Amino acid sequence: ATSDTPLVVTTAIPSPGFVRLKVQVKDNNTWLDDKDNVFDGGAGADVMNIQEWPAPADFASFWQAATNTLYSTPYVPVCTNFNPAGAVSGVSYYLFDIPVAAGELNVTGILAKPANAAAGSCGIITHTTGYGFGRTDLPSSSEVLAGNIVVNIARHGENPWHPDGSYYTNEVQNGFAKNFCFRNNDLTVQDTDYYKMAMRDLRALQYAKTLPEWNGTALETKGGSMGGWRAITLAALDCDVKQCNASIPWSVDLAGHVKYGYMKGWRPDWTANLDYVDLKNLATLVKCPVTFTAEPLH
């Protein structure tokens, strides 16, 4: 029964952590699940002492070797000017397709910069998209017109602007990227989708930094959910990143469910390989400021 009296829930946990509380309203035996009738939140206790599974002993050296190999591997980029629907005056748009490693998918996406931008006049902003399958969004025209090279990196190495929407369902979601990030995690780290995605994202940023319009200083990464994982990973592995903005980043503390009984959530089953791509470990390599955001449910 509803009441004007506030609902008070008192509970305790035996060790540092979070308690999750979900409250729904029932109307005539039907649960209401719209946002105005659901509370889904919680509270933390002694959160600075939550137990965590340690990173691998060779974590930092593993990634140093991986990035050294990537950056020393020659590549020939293809960056083609195009005029998409929704193009904004004063912005030049490009589709890019750049090799990463032999036998692997190229990194693809959409790059935009101010038309006729002078050499050394622009910052770089990367946008990394969250989990899903579909067209890559056009770069933000407001960010471009503010004096930035904006790079929207595709998720899987797919065609970022395919004219047939069924391509993303038939060839990507149900084809070469089926079960993305939930597969191959028991093979090697290099076989995981996380690792391959990180290498593609780093290559895109490596290429962007060769553009003559970059001022050599301003460099920002942005993304939400899986895109948040990607944004922080770029900041962790590219020391030129000066600012990172991540919203509700995905794949943090992947071992906690198995090792300590923490809530699992929607993410792959833990394997030891995932310790190398766990965002809580990658975050320890970040040297620049990071801004986190989380959208409220109400």
Side-chain angles (χ1 to χ4, degrees), residues 50-105:
I50 292 175
Q51 191 171 12
E52 66 171 290
W53 186 244
D58 64 342
F59 179 78
S61 61
F62 171 87
W63 282 111
Q64 186 64 64
T67 53
N68 286 347
T69 298
L70 176 74
Y71 295 147
S72 63
T73 302
Y75 66 95
V76 178
V78 175
C79 195
T80 307
N81 185 263
F82 84 124
N83 186 33
V88 172
S89 177
V91 178
S92 297
Y93 299 87
Y94 303 84
L95 295 174
F96 63 85
D97 190 317
I98 307 170
V100 177
E104 299 294 345
L105 291 172

Side-chain angles (χ1 to χ4, degrees), residues 131-152:
Y131 200 99
F133 306 89
R135 261 186 177 184
T136 301
D137 292 335
L138 289 179
S140 163
S141 58
S142 62
E143 291 181 338
V144 175
L145 295 174
N148 294 292
I149 300 163
V150 181
V151 187
N152 286 16

Side-chain angles (χ1 to χ4, degrees), residues 71-253:
Y71 295 147
S72 63
T73 302
Y75 66 95
V76 178
V78 175
C79 195
T80 307
N81 185 263
F82 84 124
N83 186 33
V88 172
S89 177
V91 178
S92 297
Y93 299 87
Y94 303 84
L95 295 174
F96 63 85
D97 190 317
I98 307 170
V100 177
E104 299 294 345
L105 291 172
N106 292 354
V107 58
T108 58
I110 304 173
L111 182 151
K113 54 188 177 181
N116 303 314
S121 65
C122 294
I124 293 175
I125 300 175
T126 67
H127 284 268
T128 45
T129 311
Y131 200 99
F133 306 89
R135 261 186 177 184
T136 301
D137 292 335
L138 289 179
S140 163
S141 58
S142 62
E143 291 181 338
V144 175
L145 295 174
N148 294 292
I149 300 163
V150 181
V151 187
N152 286 16
I153 310 172
R155 303 171 180 94
H156 316 105
E158 74 276 21
N159 182 328
W161 199 257
H162 198 286
D164 182 358
S166 65
Y167 159 82
Y168 297 101
T169 300
N170 298 334
E171 296 189 39
V172 184
Q173 182 175 7
N174 296 324
F176 69 84
K178 188 175 183 179
N179 298 323
F180 189 72
C181 285
F182 289 81
R183 62 190 181 180
N184 302 331
N185 296 328
D186 57 344
L187 301 178
T188 69
V189 181
Q190 292 83 351
D191 288 311
T192 66
D193 289 318
Y194 290 97
Y195 178 90
K196 295 178 181 182
M197 182 164 51
M199 293 295 103
R200 289 195 298 270
D201 291 348
L202 285 166
R203 178 70 94 201
L205 185 51
Q206 181 187 18
Y207 168 68
K209 292 191 295 183
T210 69
L211 298 176
E213 295 87 353
W214 184 42
N215 60 26
T217 302
L219 182 48
E220 181 177 359
T221 64
K222 293 184 175 182
S225 192
M226 185 179 81
W229 180 92
R230 299 168 69 189
I232 294 173
T233 297
L234 280 171
L237 301 179
D238 189 319
C239 61
D240 288 331
V241 175
K242 299 297 190 296
Q243 173 66 44
C244 175
N245 293 278
S247 174
I248 51 172
W250 190 48
S251 294
V252 181
D253 191 21

